Amino acid sequence: MVVPECTACGTCCFSTLPEYVRVFGCDYDRMDDRARRFTRFIGNRCYMHIEDGRCAALTLDAERGRFLCSIYEVRPDCCRALERGSGACVGELHEKRERPLLALEALRRRAGAKGDASGEGGPGGASAAGGADGAGKAGGAA
């Protein structure tokens, strides 16, 4: 199986489970205020917030087809542990490969609809970047 570059994939950052990316105390301590805005507590446990079926820290660049972690430098340990091409990576690709592609397509449709309404649609029109507060991904959660 060919494993794409992480920035061309993003698969590991997709889930609908609110408890998908656990943030432990050492992770939370490493995070700055900006990164902590992407976390949510469920009971006494902390997790990365899942929004639109993906980690809220993940930014999608529909124009370039890229996925970037907006908190890459301070990402949780479970994201750091997932190495490109590892068994966990290949498992994520096997189970969820279509999710990032569907998210990019939806983002492109929304950008096209906005561009059509404002007269900026089509090739060379307004660029689209999604995710919580316009930031970006490169690591994923196991």
Side-chain angles (χ1 to χ4, degrees):
M1 169 182 273
V2 175
V3 179
E5 292 292 326
C6 291
T7 58
C9 179
T11 302
C12 56
C13 298
F14 281 78
S15 180
T16 57
L17 302 172
E19 304 90 3
Y20 182 61
V21 181
R22 178 78 188 268
V23 177
F24 290 97
C26 60
D27 299 322
Y28 196 81
D29 290 344
R30 179 175 47 246
M31 292 178 166
D32 55 18
D33 289 339
R34 182 183 56 82
R36 288 178 181 163
R37 287 194 315 249
F38 294 111
T39 64
R40 298 291 182 265
F41 280 86
I42 299 175
N44 65 344
R45 293 188 177 164
C46 187
Y47 300 91
M48 294 302 295
H49 179 64
I50 301 298
E51 183 175 277
D52 296 329
R54 66 179 184 270
C55 177
L58 181 66
T59 294
L60 282 64
D61 180 340
E63 197 171 295
R64 294 188 191 116
R66 292 179 54 111
F67 302 86
L68 300 170
C69 178
S70 64
I71 62 165
Y72 185 76
E73 297 78 19
V74 295
R75 69 196 184 281
D77 283 344
C78 64
C79 301
R80 292 167 185 269
L82 185 64
E83 293 184 32
R84 181 175 172 254
S86 68
C89 171
V90 171
E92 292 287 300
L93 284 168
H94 178 74
E95 291 296 317
K96 306 185 298 190
R97 182 180 288 267
E98 76 287 346
R99 292 182 190 184
L101 302 174
L102 293 171
L104 278 176
E105 182 57 33
L107 186 60
R108 288 173 177 148
R109 278 194 312 269
R110 283 195 303 264
K114 287 180 185 176
D116 290 343
S118 67
E120 297 176 9
S127 72
D133 98 11
K137 171 213 174 265

